Amino acid sequence: MADSAGIQQGSPAIGAAGLVPAAPGAGGTEGSGAARGSARIAVKKAQLRSSPRPKKLEKLGVYSSCKAEGACKCNGWKSQNPPPTPPQTEQQSNAVNLQEPCRSCSHTLGDHVTHLENVSEEEMNRLLGIVLDVEYLYTCIHKEEDADTKQVYFSLFKLLRKSILQMGKPMLEAQESPPFEKPSIEQGVNNFVQYKFSHLPSKERQTIMELAKMFLNQINYWQLETPSQRRQRVPNDDAAGYKVNYTRWLCYCNVPQFCDSLPRYETTQIFGRTLLRSVFTVMRKQLLEQARQEKDKLPPEKRTLILTHFPKFLSMLEEEVYSHNSPIWSQDFLAGAAGGQIPIHTVISAASVARPLYYSTSPVSVDPSTCGSVSPARKAASVLEPNPAGEKRKPSEPLSHEENKRPRVVGDIPMDLINEVMATITDPAAIPETSLLSAHSARDEAARLEERRGVIEFHVIGNSLNQKPNKRILMWLVGLQNVFSHQLPRMPKEYITRLVFDPKHKTLSLIKDGRVIGGICFRMFPSQGFTEIVFCAVTSNEQVKGYGTHLMNHLKEYHIKHEILNFLTYADEYAIGYFKKQGFSKDIKVPKSKYVGYIKDYEGATLMGCELNPSIPYTEFSVIIKKQKEIIKKLIERKQAQIRKVYPGLSCFKDGVRQIPIESIPGIRETGWKPVGKGKELKDPDQLYSTLKTILQHVKSHQNAWPFMEPVKKTEAPGYYQVIRFPMDLKTMSERLKSRYYTTRKLFMADMQRIFTNCREYNPPESEYYKCANLLEKFFYTKIKEAGLIEK
């Protein structure tokens, strides 16, 4: 963007009632109407992306230059019979004709979209998302009255329009990229809390942290006044500087809330004291006025917090914002150096959704929403510790814009039905928080809720020889050493100490009430493509709460972020069960040459590995699965409602009928049943015997047939015959074949299938036997099809 170095300030609350910005105001918080507008755009994008490919081509053709011979200069296909109002994708039901001529250049729609013939669905959907953003910005331009704001909208409109034409990614061409000032507003407020309140008792300090989080939340959803409005209110202010920040705010924070083709940042993370000074006075006045007006609506437990403590907090912060020598704005700020206090590690972050001023959960102690919950829209961790060795883990950082556009597996359930069912359950963006966990809750659900409420925190920390020692991190490392030593008594304490404090090792630490209660010590080998997990433990009185699972899920997301997708660890006999539950197995995916000589060998331990899937958000995976189960349940209920007709029972068997075709049962086809493909039944017994003998020989010769050659021995598999009531093996099948037992192919196939079914019922999925059964079953059905006994 040519003029985006001066990205302007002072804009409207976008989408107050739909897709159009509200009129510019003198600042304020964005209401729920904006959220509805954003949701409406998302719904339109989902509908457009689920359209047939011809519809997508028609939509993109409007924004694609003509490719016909003769150097046609038409920059977009135009319909011969345009509707009186702008077209809406979901309402267009007419068939698309690629031969329809353009109203402007007379060339066909196909001539405008020839460059899209071999484009993948994923790329098509990305471009369609930009198209809807362009249309939204076009509406904004015509509705906007402020000249500065309109100029930014128009620049973004041209940028996105160009991205469609060139099939590229929108890149803001600014002289500076975020962050624009350090320390950021968020860091400054964190420093302020440490600087002024680190000496307070825990409960009082957490009250301050809750107020700070409230304040940051308001800034992230504050609507800046336009430069022209500001000139009228503060004539002598730095108008040019404010206009630069206003433009940046529009492009990087405000518009991307609705145009998700553009990268979005939090205001408190990319702006610093300069922007805060320009909005603080007006913002403070409006927040306190809002609190006074809504005091009767405040919950009783919030009134003291909002009406008494919040004004004092803002007054103290105001002094530091406008002071020329406040230490909180120094990049090398250390609370201990200023006040002689040991730094108190506090993590404050703004919430991801604009809420009323009194949104938090406790009047005095920051119970759920202060100490460690980080905004889901967070792009960078909010960590007070200046030491880079301490890295805050983000609870549920979303996948990037590109990652969210992975190709969807198309099934036989229409997307509009899925969307309708989801709407009947709950808002899919909302994560249910129940106070009472059901018996079927995921192992990590309690831990996840505790993290969201700020009861527990996760930090990646390590010792450093290059940085100034950080007392808090050193205390946590000592705590980790104690936890590991206590929980791993067979491991020498000196050895644990050496690895925990080794600068090459890091530890994902679990913090509760300011103390360490668990962690995973690991060493990364980026050049080899794996990480070695050395120690993993949770203190005994905090176990069975899902902390171990949640710890491992955080570690997985941390490694996906750092592009390392394999774990290796030596697990003793007591830990094998835990690692199996976390997705580890003895089937090592990393080539032996990659890890031999790198990892530490332990006698009496089992080497286990885990391969990560970068598309899985591990910390929220169980919630996603739970939501999918709810959707499937609703779909089943809907299907059952359609087939509730009750048919009379079959009476033909009373008359001596022994067998009837399945399809003749009344109502069976309405359930969705379809007849299975039939194969050729060999009438000649000798021909059948010969065919089955050949197939059985092939199966017995297969490399994965060894577990099934003979009956299972009781001594080798205790309790096998209590679990498996109808055992079968290849030796028994050979004997039956010789005795001419198999008079039909179905009998033969049933016995063979029983071998595979029994194996999977008795053995766990990660076992070698289970894998052999799957591979041999696939081979068997290949041979059956080759013999013509079943249809291919």
Side-chain angles (χ1 to χ4, degrees):
M1 221 174 66
D3 54 352
S4 62
I7 300 181
Q8 313 168 42
Q9 262 187 251
S11 124
I14 295 183
L19 303 185
V20 184
T29 53
E30 183 181 334
S32 60
R36 287 196 299 271
S38 178
R40 194 176 304 176
I41 294 172
V43 169
K44 294 188 74 168
K45 287 185 178 182
Q47 291 172 341
L48 183 57
R49 287 166 177 160
S50 62
S51 302
R53 191 174 178 92
K55 283 286 183 184
K56 296 179 180 181
L57 290 173
E58 181 183 45
K59 188 73 174 177
L60 289 170
V62 177
Y63 297 89
S64 301
S65 56
C66 184
K67 309 295 185 300
E69 295 181 2
C72 180
K73 296 182 179 180
C74 178
N75 64 355
W77 181 80
K78 301 170 185 64
S79 174
Q80 292 286 344
N81 301 302
T85 56
Q88 297 187 9
T89 306
E90 66 269 21
Q91 294 178 356
Q92 291 185 355
S93 57
N94 298 331
V96 176
N97 180 12
L98 293 178
Q99 300 303 315
E100 185 177 347
C102 173
R103 189 173 75 249
S104 177
C105 69
S106 299
H107 291 120
T108 65
L109 170 60
D111 289 330
H112 285 76
V113 296
T114 53
H115 64 297
L116 298 171
E117 288 180 359
N118 298 319
V119 169
S120 66
E121 284 297 311
E122 180 182 8
E123 177 65 8
M124 290 272 284
N125 289 338
R126 185 185 74 84
L127 294 173
L128 289 167
I130 303 178
V131 164
L132 285 184
D133 288 345
V134 165
E135 293 180 351
Y136 163 66
L137 283 171
Y138 182 79
T139 308
C140 292
I141 292 168
H142 288 274
K143 295 283 185 179
E144 183 58 55
E145 296 178 359
D146 178 73
D148 294 318
T149 307
K150 182 176 288 194
Q151 180 185 356
V152 177
Y153 287 159
F154 186 64
S155 296
L156 294 174
F157 170 82
K158 290 193 297 182
L159 172 69
L160 295 180
R161 184 80 170 79
K162 182 179 178 182
S163 298
I164 301 172
L165 287 171
Q166 298 180 352
M167 297 177 64
K169 295 180 181 179
M171 297 294 291
L172 296 173
E173 299 173 1
Q175 292 179 0
E176 279 187 88
S177 58
F180 302 112
E181 189 175 358
K182 292 183 179 180
S184 65
I185 295 173
E186 185 176 87
Q187 187 66 57
V189 173
N190 272 281
N191 293 347
F192 168 69
V193 171
Q194 280 206 42
Y195 177 53
K196 291 289 187 181
F197 306 105
S198 61
H199 63 284
L200 295 178
S202 177
K203 280 194 173 182
E204 295 178 21
R205 188 172 65 249
Q206 289 193 359
T207 301
I208 298 299
M209 289 159 59
E210 182 171 357
L211 294 171
K213 185 178 179 185
M214 253 191 261
F215 176 73
L216 290 173
N217 176 67
Q218 297 301 320
I219 295 177
N220 276 333
Y221 293 91
W222 193 261
Q223 299 301 307
L224 300 187
E225 57 187 338
T226 65
S228 58
Q229 291 170 328
R230 185 169 178 80
R231 280 196 297 271
Q232 294 176 3
R233 188 175 62 83
V234 192
N236 300 323
D237 190 50
D238 178 14
Y242 183 83
K243 184 175 179 180
V244 168
N245 275 337
Y246 175 73
T247 307
R248 289 169 172 169
W249 172 79
L250 270 182
C251 290
Y252 290 101
C253 304
N254 191 267
V255 174
Q257 290 186 62
F258 308 92
C259 297
D260 63 2
S261 304
L262 298 167
R264 179 176 179 264
Y265 298 84
E266 299 280 17
T267 304
T268 54
Q269 290 192 335
I270 64 173
F271 293 99
R273 179 163 56 164
T274 303
L275 180 68
L276 186 58
R277 281 178 166 179
S278 63
V279 301
F280 191 92
T281 304
V282 173
M283 183 177 173
R284 176 176 179 270
K285 180 180 178 182
Q286 291 192 17
L287 287 177
L288 296 180
E289 181 62 30
Q290 177 192 351
R292 283 191 290 270
Q293 290 176 356
E294 298 181 357
K295 63 181 180 181
D296 294 333
K297 301 177 184 178
L298 292 173
E301 69 274 11
K302 295 293 174 192
R303 285 177 186 164
T304 303
L305 183 71
I306 302 299
L307 299 178
T308 304
H309 299 305
F310 197 48
K312 293 178 181 178
F313 175 86
L314 292 177
S315 296
M316 294 179 68
L317 179 58
E318 186 174 26
E319 291 181 16
E320 303 303 322
V321 169
Y322 292 104
S323 170
H324 292 289
N325 55 0
S326 172
I328 71 170
W329 302 105
S330 170
Q331 291 196 42
D332 55 354
F333 169 80
L334 282 174
Q341 302 290 334
I342 296 175
I344 302 299
H345 184 87
T346 58
V347 180
I348 307 165
S349 60
S352 58
V353 179
R355 305 175 182 177
L357 192 59
Y358 46 87
Y359 77 94
S360 56
T361 53
S362 76
V364 180
S365 65
V366 172
D367 179 38
S369 50
T370 50
C371 243
S373 63
V374 180
S375 164
R378 185 72 56 241
K379 298 291 186 301
S382 166
V383 186
L384 237 133
E385 304 286 0
N387 184 356
E391 188 171 344
K392 176 72 172 66
R393 279 291 302 137
K394 292 164 257 189
S396 56
E397 181 176 350
L399 299 176
S400 69
H401 183 61
E402 288 303 314
E403 289 172 323
N404 280 327
K405 293 187 175 182
R406 293 187 182 89
R408 180 176 58 85
V409 178
V410 181
D412 57 353
I413 303 175
M415 277 306 298
D416 55 350
L417 176 58
I418 295 292
N419 293 332
E420 184 183 344
V421 169
M422 288 180 69
T424 64
I425 301 172
T426 52
D427 177 9
I431 298 175
E433 291 201 23
T434 54
S435 55
L436 297 176
L437 302 178
S438 69
H440 303 290
S441 296
R443 286 190 298 270
D444 63 333
E445 187 161 351
R448 186 171 54 250
L449 295 181
E450 284 192 9
E451 182 186 11
R452 190 165 295 120
R453 294 197 301 266
V455 177
I456 59 175
E457 299 175 13
F458 296 86
H459 300 264
V460 176
I461 63 174
N463 195 15
S464 174
L465 301 179
N466 302 320
Q467 302 289 332
K468 186 177 180 180
N470 185 296
K471 292 183 180 179
R472 177 58 62 180
I473 288 179
L474 290 176
M475 288 174 63
W476 282 345
L477 289 172
V478 171
L480 286 163
Q481 185 262 357
N482 289 332
V483 170
F484 292 144
S485 298
H486 188 265
Q487 297 301 126
L488 306 169
R490 294 195 292 179
M491 196 68 66
K493 193 169 184 178
E494 296 78 6
Y495 178 69
I496 292 175
T497 305
R498 179 160 63 85
L499 295 190
V500 169
F501 283 88
D502 176 18
K504 294 179 182 178
H505 287 70
K506 295 182 180 179
T507 306
L508 173 62
S509 55
L510 170 58
I511 311 299
K512 186 173 185 179
D513 297 328
R515 62 185 179 86
V516 175
I517 63 168
I520 301 177
C521 182
F522 60 94
R523 181 174 177 181
M524 303 168 77
F525 294 95
S527 63
Q528 305 306 109
F530 75 91
T531 280
E532 178 191 12
I533 294 177
V534 186
F535 306 126
C536 177
V538 175
T539 188
S540 54
N541 60 338
E542 296 286 358
Q543 291 178 3
V544 202
K545 296 182 181 179
Y547 291 154
T549 296
H550 206 43
L551 255 173
M552 186 61 73
N553 286 339
H554 268 296
L555 189 67
K556 289 175 180 177
E557 290 197 351
Y558 177 83
H559 278 77
I560 288 173
K561 173 185 169 184
H562 288 80
E563 299 180 349
I564 298 178
L565 302 181
N566 282 283
F567 288 157
L568 291 177
T569 188
Y570 273 98
D572 63 24
E573 56 183 317
Y574 302 107
I576 288 177
Y578 164 78
F579 281 109
K580 280 186 176 180
K581 291 175 184 177
Q582 310 310 320
F584 286 72
S585 74
K586 299 173 188 177
D587 183 16
I588 309 300
K589 302 294 184 182
V590 182
K592 196 169 183 178
S593 59
K594 289 284 187 180
Y595 64 81
V596 169
Y598 286 87
I599 65 174
K600 293 166 279 294
D601 295 322
Y602 296 92
E603 281 187 25
T606 303
L607 181 63
M608 303 184 74
C610 177
E611 187 175 23
L612 306 182
N613 186 330
S615 64
I616 294 177
Y618 284 96
T619 54
E620 298 296 335
F621 190 54
S622 58
V623 174
I624 295 170
I625 295 299
K626 183 178 179 181
K627 183 66 66 179
Q628 290 175 343
K629 286 181 178 178
E630 291 177 8
I631 294 170
I632 296 298
K633 183 180 177 182
K634 287 286 183 181
L635 289 171
I636 292 173
E637 289 174 358
R638 286 180 172 231
K639 190 68 177 178
Q640 288 175 337
Q642 296 170 6
I643 57 172
R644 275 184 182 155
K645 183 177 179 181
V646 178
Y647 293 87
L650 297 173
S651 58
C652 58
F653 298 110
K654 293 180 180 179
D655 302 328
V657 176
R658 297 293 302 274
Q659 185 176 352
I660 62 172
I662 295 178
E663 57 267 25
S664 67
I665 300 174
I668 192 71
R669 289 188 180 274
E670 287 81 350
T671 65
W673 177 88
K674 295 178 182 178
V676 179
K678 297 180 179 179
K680 179 176 65 175
E681 187 67 76
L682 300 177
K683 302 294 184 181
D684 184 357
D686 292 332
Q687 184 183 359
L688 177 64
Y689 172 82
S690 176
T691 302
L692 297 183
K693 182 179 180 182
T694 302
I695 293 172
L696 188 58
Q697 285 174 344
H698 282 299
V699 171
K700 291 169 69 175
S701 302
H702 194 270
Q703 61 182 358
N704 291 300
W706 60 269
F708 316 110
M709 298 298 291
E710 295 186 352
V712 175
K713 298 177 181 177
K714 293 182 180 180
T715 55
E716 294 178 355
Y720 181 85
Y721 291 97
Q722 279 73 44
V723 177
I724 304 302
R725 296 180 59 196
F726 303 103
M728 184 53 60
D729 59 274
L730 295 176
K731 182 180 179 181
T732 303
M733 287 190 66
S734 298
E735 293 170 353
R736 286 188 171 190
L737 182 64
K738 288 178 183 178
S739 64
R740 302 290 178 126
Y741 168 79
Y742 298 119
T743 56
T744 67
R745 62 181 172 88
K746 290 183 179 179
L747 285 172
F748 180 79
M749 292 173 63
D751 274 357
M752 187 67 76
Q753 187 61 53
R754 182 172 293 165
I755 292 177
F756 308 135
T757 304
N758 289 347
C759 177
R760 286 191 285 257
E761 184 175 350
Y762 184 78
N763 298 287
E766 64 271 16
S767 68
E768 192 69 24
Y769 302 109
Y770 198 104
K771 295 174 183 177
C772 286
N774 288 343
L775 293 171
L776 190 61
E777 180 183 36
K778 187 176 180 180
F779 175 78
F780 168 69
Y781 279 99
T782 300
K783 290 299 176 184
I784 284 286
K785 290 175 183 177
E786 289 176 358
L789 296 183
I790 60 173
E791 291 182 353
K792 295 184 179 179

